[in-house]
Amino acid sequence: FGSSRLQAHCGDSRTQAMLSKNVPRVSLRRAGLLSLAPAQASSCRHFSSAFKAEYEAHVQERAQIGLPPQVLTAKWASDVVALLKDPSSDSSLALDLIKTRVPPGVDDASYVKAAFLAAVSKGEVTTEHIDKKEAIRLLGEMLGGYNVAPLVVALDDPEVAPLAVEALSKTILMFDSKFDVEEKMKAGNAFAKQVMESWAEAGWFTSKPTVPEKYSL
């Protein structure tokens, strides 16, 4: 399979669900899914092994010159997301990478990470490794940029809104999205009001550790 096609279907439950419901195989063939069903697990395992080998080789290459591994590229971030979506893969490495090796802000890899976490937070994508609340927490660590819009949307979901409030209250790189929060507040959203009040009180600053009176060298 091509890499992009494999990523799209690794962990895809749609094919398995169709087979379990005895959907005619001709229908699966026309949908381009039949060829994936019998070999899906082994193909995804191969993809997982190939990615790990590629990344570990990069880590070793950088270590030989005394440097840490580079942050994930957009391609690597996409590979990591594919592994996290695949229930048959060992995703411990992928989970660590999505949490710690994607730059914050508006990097291309950040877009991939934010889009994935946004989908999880809205229930559009499910993975056994990250639930809706964890997705919001991870979005909140991205400082600003592509993570802002899904956090603002989360203010409308009572299940995760308190976590979105906590994240947005500490985010100052909001740009025009601050007006979206204001509009929600005016419409009666209590969670948006909490965010606006926290910004007004400079909670993002006052919540930081107190600076010592002096430093001893």
Side-chain angles (χ1 to χ4, degrees):
F1 304 107
S3 175
S4 60
R5 187 181 180 194
L6 180 58
Q7 289 178 45
H9 292 283
C10 275
D12 186 352
S13 61
R14 181 174 53 166
T15 301
Q16 299 300 333
M18 286 180 175
L19 288 170
S20 67
K21 294 179 181 179
N22 296 317
V23 173
R25 288 178 173 267
V26 65
S27 298
L28 294 179
R29 187 175 294 110
R30 287 171 180 168
L33 296 173
L34 180 60
S35 60
L36 289 169
Q40 184 180 26
S42 60
S43 297
C44 288
R45 283 195 296 270
H46 174 73
F47 170 68
S48 174
S49 299
F51 168 76
K52 288 180 180 178
E54 179 183 355
Y55 185 76
E56 288 171 0
H58 167 73
V59 172
Q60 293 174 6
E61 179 182 350
R62 298 279 289 183
Q64 289 175 359
I65 55 177
L67 294 174
Q70 293 180 340
V71 295
L72 298 188
T73 62
K75 176 186 177 300
W76 274 350
S78 297
D79 291 345
V80 165
V81 167
L83 292 176
L84 290 172
K85 290 180 179 180
D86 174 23
S88 68
S89 70
D90 176 7
S91 300
S92 55
L93 173 62
L95 187 60
D96 178 65
L97 292 177
I98 201 71
K99 288 182 176 181
T100 65
R101 301 305 299 167
V102 177
V106 292
D107 185 90
D108 287 346
S110 303
Y111 178 83
V112 175
K113 176 179 178 176
F116 167 63
L117 294 175
V120 173
S121 71
K122 291 186 288 186
E124 297 172 352
V125 169
T126 57
T127 167
E128 62 186 49
H129 309 288
I130 301 174
D131 60 17
K132 292 177 64 174
K133 292 182 178 180
E134 179 65 7
I136 293 297
R137 280 191 285 266
L138 292 176
L139 283 167
E141 295 174 355
M142 296 181 68
L143 303 182
Y146 294 125
N147 67 317
V148 170
L151 288 174
V152 173
V153 169
L155 293 173
D156 294 322
D157 182 350
E159 181 181 353
V160 295
L163 292 170
V165 169
E166 182 179 355
L168 288 170
S169 295
K170 298 177 182 178
T171 302
I172 58 175
L173 300 177
M174 293 292 297
F175 305 101
D176 288 346
S177 293
K178 64 180 181 290
F179 298 116
D180 297 328
V181 179
E182 182 182 12
E183 287 299 318
K184 288 183 181 294
M185 179 190 70
K186 291 179 178 179
N189 186 307
F191 297 108
K193 182 179 180 181
Q194 291 178 41
V195 176
M196 295 295 291
E197 290 175 344
S198 178
W199 286 341
E201 296 167 359
W204 61 271
F205 179 74
T206 58
S207 63
K208 294 182 180 296
T210 303
V211 178
E213 290 293 330
K214 66 176 181 178
Y215 287 94
S216 299
L217 302 178

